[in-house]
Amino acid sequence: ATLAGHMVAVRNENWGTTGDRLSFAYLAANLRVNGWFYLRDERFPWVVTALVLAGTKQATAGLLAVDYEPDDEEIDRVGERQVLLDSADLPVAVLEVTRVEVHPFDQVPFEFAAAEGEGFTSVEDWQTGHRAFYAELGHEVRADEPVVCAWFQVIERLDPT
């Protein structure tokens, strides 16, 4: 139903990709072109959830100064468990952090960018997408700014009903 909702939302347009519109391949190619729209738009918060549950998204990034320090939040720890929520804020999975690294923004490795599962084709592509995302929040990312790179795995799926 979620994927069908996505298809209705794009009104049968290509949106940067071709192929079977009811496939994850289509969704992944579509995200490469339009991903930041979906990830920013409150109508599409399920996209990240779907990518995680499909095993496509296995990592996430956060700027230390924006995503951690304002709330005195500690960086993620290996072994830490977190609950993944769906668009209705219902728990759908338990994630376990498997690896954490902090890199300057301009030194985030492609291995990490690929593990984010959002279709980045290079580190430069990843940097462009993340700079645009944070610019919309009013934050200009510096090259030396610390990025928390956290890898995770789904250890349990939950029934949100």
Side-chain angles (χ1 to χ4, degrees):
T2 301
L3 198 51
H6 167 73
M7 299 312 133
V8 170
V10 299
R11 294 192 185 96
N12 225 12
E13 297 175 25
N14 283 345
W15 284 55
T17 189
T18 60
D20 182 1
R21 293 174 201 273
L22 296 177
S23 71
F24 280 107
Y26 175 90
L27 182 60
N30 186 298
L31 282 174
R32 278 195 291 280
V33 176
N34 303 294
W36 289 110
F37 167 77
Y38 296 122
L39 298 177
R40 284 191 316 263
D41 192 301
E42 66 184 28
R43 295 172 296 167
F44 297 100
W46 61 266
V47 172
V48 171
T49 302
L51 290 172
V52 171
L53 293 176
T56 304
K57 182 171 182 61
Q58 300 174 359
T60 192
L63 291 179
L64 194 59
V66 175
D67 300 307
Y68 293 87
E69 291 175 347
D71 297 320
D72 286 329
E73 185 177 335
E74 294 182 23
I75 67 169
D76 306 281
R77 297 177 324 276
V78 171
E80 177 181 351
R81 294 188 175 187
Q82 301 175 0
V83 175
L84 177 66
L85 303 176
D86 69 7
S87 57
D89 287 335
L90 297 172
V92 294
V94 177
L95 310 178
E96 183 172 21
V97 177
T98 59
R99 179 175 165 190
V100 179
E101 297 176 357
V102 179
H103 295 280
F105 184 82
D106 67 348
Q107 294 179 29
V108 170
F110 182 70
E111 172 195 14
F112 176 78
E116 276 205 306
E118 296 168 24
F120 298 112
T121 58
S122 66
V123 171
E124 294 76 18
D125 186 29
W126 180 90
Q127 290 171 346
T128 298
H130 283 74
R131 282 186 193 281
F133 174 79
Y134 284 104
E136 289 207 4
L137 298 178
H139 183 82
E140 184 175 337
V141 180
R142 299 182 327 271
D144 65 343
E145 190 157 2
V147 178
V148 178
C149 301
W151 284 260
F152 55 82
Q153 65 183 1
V154 175
I155 59 167
E156 182 182 359
R157 288 179 179 241
L158 304 172
D159 182 2
T161 57

